[in-house]
């Protein structure tokens, strides 16, 4: 009994990139910048999705979930799709480079490459593909943050981490429900070699547990107020409970509950982050005492820290470039993963 669900991953990718932009903004959100960033992300994501479908045309034709897509159903030719993918990818990356910055464009292009040229072939080679795919899905908020602030600091990683850990239970539930379909398409998912579903459910449970500290870290690193810590803790406990129940009840019903619960989790988590986000001024007020977890608490370090904060505030005031995050912590770099949203059409027992 297959129902057909369309999970519009592209829209999700754009939403996460937009959320990253807002979180990486200071007190005032640059709405034009937000629109350009979302448009550029959507274009690069569309390119990545199209390339994925070009490369998987024959596999998609073998799966109930995907056989009605434009390429396997013959509504679109491969050259047509490839020309579209290249043009929209180049245009989206160029748009991000001009309207945001090179860092954002580089992240987008690298994520496209990771998705289309690493993740996509890996799906037919090894179950590790799901973890690589989770990296791809985690990058879009980083794009948004980089577009808003011109940099990637430690606290930019909260939403990407949430997306990474969230995707594992989400895709494990999907892979469990669609395991015969994936096998027919020639994809090597973990659920394929895990007849009892135990390992699949354990991965879902473990990664749901990894989501637990993120609310506290968002608070501790000055991204949100303490309310988010509380709300995200409660929300994540319900995700953990669903994953645990899937582990105990490894049936289509348990997997379906996990899948639908994960669909609800992400928008609520992101809304909480946005509602409780701290503006630049609020962050500056919090910073002298910040990071109870990672701050080095000797009085000498605190004194140096305050001096550093004063210097940062002075620099921010003088600089025309918006620099919203606390610089010392680590510029986790111009890491080469871009993101793209891929529509996931679930045609299984969801
Ligand atoms: C800016 C930019 C490049 C963003 C990319 C974001 C992106 C593509 C996220 C997709 C995440 C993912 C692993 C989806 C599943 O793809 P799948 O191939 O398993 O889906 P399918 O089986 O439905 O084809």
């Amino acid at each position: 009994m297959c129902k057909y669900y369309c999970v519009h991953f592209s829209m999700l990718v754009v939403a996460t990139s937009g959320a990253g932009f807002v979180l990486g903004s200071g007190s005032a959100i640059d709405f034009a910048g937000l629109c350009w960033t979302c448009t550029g992300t959507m274009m690069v994501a569309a390119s990545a999705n199209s390339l994925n479908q070009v490369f998987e045309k024959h596999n998609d034709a073998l799966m109930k979930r995907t056989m009605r897509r434009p390429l396997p159903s013959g509504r679109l030719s491969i050259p047509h799709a490839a020309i579209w993918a290249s043009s929209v990818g180049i245009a989206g990356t160029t748009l991000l480079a001009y309207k945001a910055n090179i860092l954002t464009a580089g992240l987008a292009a690298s994520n496209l490459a990771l998705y289309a040229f690493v993740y996509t072939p890996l799906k037919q080679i090894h179950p590790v593909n799901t973890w690589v795919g989770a990296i791809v899905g985690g990058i879009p908020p980083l794009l948004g943050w980089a577009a808003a602030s011109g940099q990637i600091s430690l606290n930019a990683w909260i939403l990407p981490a949430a997306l990474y850990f969230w995707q594992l239970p989400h895709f494990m539930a999907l892979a469990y429900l669609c395991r015969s379909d994936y096998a027919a398409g020639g994809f090597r998912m973990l659920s394929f070699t895990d007849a009892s579903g135990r390992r699949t459910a354990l991965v879902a449970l473990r990664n749901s547990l990894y989501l637990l500290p993120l609310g506290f870290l968002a608070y501790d690193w000055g991204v949100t107020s303490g309310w988010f810590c509380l709300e995200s803790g409660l929300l994540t406990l319900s995700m953990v409970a669903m994953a645990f129940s899937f582990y105990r009840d490894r049936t289509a019903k348990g997997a379906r509950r996990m899948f639908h619960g994960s669909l609800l989790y992400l928008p609520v988590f992101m809304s909480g982050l946005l509602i409780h986000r701290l503006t630049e001024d609020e962050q500056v007020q919090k910073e002298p005492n910040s990071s109870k977890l990672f701050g080095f608490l000797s009085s000498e370090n605190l004194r140096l820290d305050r001096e550093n904060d004063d210097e940062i505030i002075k620099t921010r005031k003088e600089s025309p470039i918006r620099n919203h995050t606390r610089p010392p912590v680590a510029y986790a770099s111009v890491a080469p993963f871009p993101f793209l949203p891929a529509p996931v059409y679930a045609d299984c027992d969801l």
Side-chain angles (χ1 to χ4, degrees):
M1 293 284 292
C2 290
K3 290 184 196 165
Y4 293 81
Y5 283 81
C6 291
V7 182
H8 295 287
F9 236 84
S10 296
M11 295 322 293
L12 177 67
V13 169
V14 173
T16 59
S17 170
F21 188 99
V22 173
L23 292 172
S25 297
S27 304
I29 297 164
D30 169 10
F31 284 100
L34 174 63
C35 290
W36 286 121
T37 304
C38 288
T39 307
T41 305
M42 188 160 59
M43 291 167 78
V44 184
S47 167
N49 277 319
S50 307
L51 287 174
N52 170 274
Q53 293 188 33
V54 166
F55 297 145
E56 291 181 347
K57 177 184 171 185
H58 299 296
N59 310 79
D60 283 351
L62 301 170
M63 294 171 70
K64 281 187 284 179
R65 187 172 71 86
T66 50
M67 58 177 39
R68 284 186 306 277
R69 285 180 175 176
L71 284 165
S73 66
R75 283 178 282 137
L76 201 64
S77 70
I78 287 201
H80 190 156
I83 289 170
W84 155 256
S86 317
S87 339
V88 80
I90 292 169
T93 309
T94 311
L95 184 72
L96 289 173
Y98 275 96
K99 292 292 183 181
N101 49 52
I102 294 292
L103 174 60
T104 310
L107 278 167
S110 322
N111 211 27
L112 184 156
L114 185 65
Y115 182 63
F117 303 111
V118 179
Y119 167 74
T120 301
L122 208 50
K123 281 171 74 183
Q124 296 176 58
I125 298 172
H126 196 277
V128 77
N129 71 71
T130 311
W131 281 262
V132 176
I135 296 174
V136 175
I139 301 294
L142 227 42
L143 280 183
W145 187 293
S149 68
Q151 64 177 15
I152 294 171
S153 52
L154 185 63
N155 51 4
W157 288 90
I158 298 289
L159 189 50
L163 276 163
Y164 176 86
F165 294 128
W166 167 83
Q167 281 174 95
L168 287 156
H170 176 79
F171 282 120
M172 286 298 149
L174 184 69
Y176 182 86
L177 286 165
C178 303
R179 56 195 183 285
S180 46
D181 211 22
Y182 274 119
F187 295 122
R188 299 189 61 82
M189 311 310 278
L190 180 66
S191 55
F192 183 58
T193 52
D194 177 33
S196 74
R198 188 172 170 276
R199 287 175 65 206
T200 306
L202 262 181
V203 170
L205 179 58
R206 197 170 59 232
N207 285 277
S208 302
L209 284 168
Y210 294 154
L211 287 164
L212 273 175
L214 294 180
F216 173 73
L217 292 178
Y219 161 65
D220 191 62
W221 294 352
V223 179
T224 65
S225 69
W227 282 108
F228 180 70
C229 177
L230 179 68
E231 290 169 10
S232 138
L234 294 173
L235 177 69
T236 306
L237 281 176
S238 64
M239 179 92 171
V240 171
M242 278 178 292
F244 186 67
S245 128
F246 174 39
Y247 178 69
R248 297 287 305 272
D249 170 30
R250 293 189 300 275
T251 59
K253 189 172 161 228
R256 208 174 291 124
R257 200 185 302 123
M258 170 88 260
F259 182 77
H260 287 142
S262 70
L263 284 181
L264 199 60
Y265 178 88
L266 199 61
V268 178
F269 182 92
M270 283 207 302
S271 306
L273 261 179
L274 294 175
I275 290 167
H276 298 298
R277 93 178 171 103
L278 295 181
T279 63
E280 188 176 48
D281 296 340
E282 290 164 333
Q283 284 177 27
V284 168
Q285 278 170 24
K286 184 176 183 292
E287 273 174 348
N289 298 316
S290 76
S291 195
K292 289 164 275 308
L293 189 59
F294 294 103
F296 301 98
L297 293 175
S298 75
S299 53
E300 178 60 7
N301 276 335
L302 283 175
R303 186 184 64 74
L304 291 173
D305 210 23
R306 279 192 203 103
E307 283 175 13
N308 195 21
D309 283 333
D310 291 343
E311 189 58 31
I312 291 163
I313 292 163
K314 189 164 160 270
T315 312
R316 281 177 182 166
K317 283 185 179 151
E318 285 166 2
S319 170
I321 301 167
R322 286 182 305 136
N323 185 1
H324 312 302
T325 45
R326 193 178 187 200
V329 200
Y331 292 89
S333 94
V334 190
F337 315 115
F339 4 82
L340 263 176
V344 173
Y345 300 100
D347 179 14
C348 307
D349 270 339
L350 299 179

